[in-house]
Amino acid sequence: MKRIGILTSGGDAPGMNAAIRAITRKAIHEGLEVYGINYGYAGLVAGDIFRMDESTVGDKIQHGGTFLYSARYPEFAQVEGQLKGIEQLNKFGIEALVVIGGDGSYHGALRLTEHGYNTIGLPGTIDNDIPYTDFTIGFDTAVNTVLESVDRIRDTATSHERTFVIEVMGRGAGDIALWSGVAGGAEAVIVPEKDFSMRKIADKIRAGRNRGKKHSLIILAEGVMHADEFAKELGEYGDFHTRVTVLGHVQRGGSPTARDRVIASQMGAYAVDLLQQGKGGLAVGIENNKIVSHDILDLFDAKHHAELSLFDLNNSISY
Ligand code: ATP
């Protein structure tokens, strides 16, 4: 194998650039040639492909987003789209690929491997919702971004004796809410994985107020319901001077944390090792602090499990 390609796909995540840098530098160090593919599978099919050298990835490690850009391109689920992509790979003499993205991107990676182009997937998504990895690239940065906002909101909540419902990302997985909730000392964390009782939350806030507590923070994962709706329902159990903050896309940006840069670098270098061993159709992850890989097919049958012990922990220490 002489030439590999790299693309980023699906939602962007801080640390993707650190991963691209690690893959590129490691591959060049091993004597390989590296090609960047812009705009995910859309750019692959369009032939938006360019040669990268060690300098192309210089001064990128500290930036959020992905300098290879990302795109949604549902046409890649069809064989026709995949064959067009393969035509481009052949044209550029690219023999293997690394794809950085989420679950959908892994489907594309598996299809390419089935067509004879070994492809390795790296978990790049802030939601942490990928099986067989304790952490995805971008999750730690997103949690820290949320935490910074939670701390700021707490200042104003205390000054005005308000309750804040802070909506964070996480459609199917409550990881961002759980980690930022524990770290931010939120009185309640509402996640898709756990039922909740609005009455109990109201009672908890009331008990805190009766003790002289000045603020209440509720972290709500977006997959449960909208923050406005939540605040309205809470209002049926009493007037808690509730305000709503929806953090939105601010959670996707920003300079990656040290942790995200390090795991992105470890995973990127590992992906190159796997390709050099002639392996494909694998997803890289980190489990118990070790970089590992699993068949992408196994991931599709598995379910991500959020660290729900944090939910119980939060209930026992934040009230
Ligand atoms: P995130 O969860 O962070 O949004 P993702 O990788 O799951 O990331 P998707 O939009 O689901 O995001 O997928 C990214 C791209 O992967 C799609 O736009 C498409 O090009 C490709 N893709 C998705 N599903 C398939 C599939 N079944 N077969 C081939 N390619 C696919």
Side-chain angles (χ1 to χ4, degrees), residues 7-13 16 39-42 70-79 82 99-112 124-127 129-130 171 252 300:
L7 64 82
T8 48
S9 166
D12 65 311
M16 280 183 163
Y39 300 104
Y41 294 114
S70 191
R72 311 265 179 201
Y73 186 68
E75 292 88 338
F76 206 72
Q78 310 302 320
V79 178
Q82 295 156 18
V99 168
I100 311 164
D103 184 60
S105 307
Y106 280 4
H107 276 94
L110 185 60
R111 294 288 98 81
L112 287 170
T125 172
I126 64 163
D127 292 335
D129 59 352
I130 295 188
R171 256 168 285 151
R252 286 260 281 267
F300 298 151

Side-chain angles (χ1 to χ4, degrees), residues 155-300:
D155 290 345
T156 175
T158 303
S159 304
H160 289 274
E161 301 192 17
R162 279 180 176 148
T163 295
F164 267 84
V165 181
I166 305 167
E167 184 182 309
V168 301
M169 283 189 174
R171 256 168 285 151
D175 298 58
I176 291 180
L178 287 166
W179 285 75
S180 60
V182 170
E187 278 68 26
V189 178
I190 315 292
V191 292
E193 295 90 343
K194 287 272 188 184
D195 290 334
F196 70 97
S197 149
M198 198 62 91
R199 178 181 299 281
K200 281 191 185 156
I201 291 168
D203 289 347
K204 195 175 184 182
I205 296 171
R206 203 174 285 110
R209 292 276 146 121
N210 291 341
R211 255 175 36 230
K213 202 168 170 142
K214 302 287 184 216
H215 60 263
S216 314
L217 302 177
I218 299 167
I219 311 269
L220 168 71
E222 65 181 342
V224 179
M225 63 167 82
H226 289 302
D228 277 331
E229 204 184 324
F230 187 95
K232 197 162 159 240
E233 281 187 30
L234 180 65
E236 289 167 17
Y237 294 87
D239 183 3
F240 301 109
H241 312 289
T242 306
R243 294 290 183 277
V244 161
T245 300
V246 179
L247 293 181
H249 280 76
V250 72
Q251 296 161 87
R252 286 260 281 267
S255 178
T257 57
R259 190 169 171 80
D260 272 332
R261 296 183 202 191
V262 171
I263 66 166
S265 301
Q266 290 175 308
M267 290 180 181
Y270 189 71
V272 175
D273 287 341
L274 293 173
L275 289 179
Q276 284 207 298
Q277 292 160 25
K279 293 182 180 166
L282 296 174
V284 175
I286 182 164
E287 288 177 311
N288 301 319
N289 236 6
K290 279 218 150 22
I291 304 297
V292 296
S293 64
H294 292 274
D295 281 344
I296 290 179
L297 258 180
D298 292 344
L299 262 72
F300 298 151

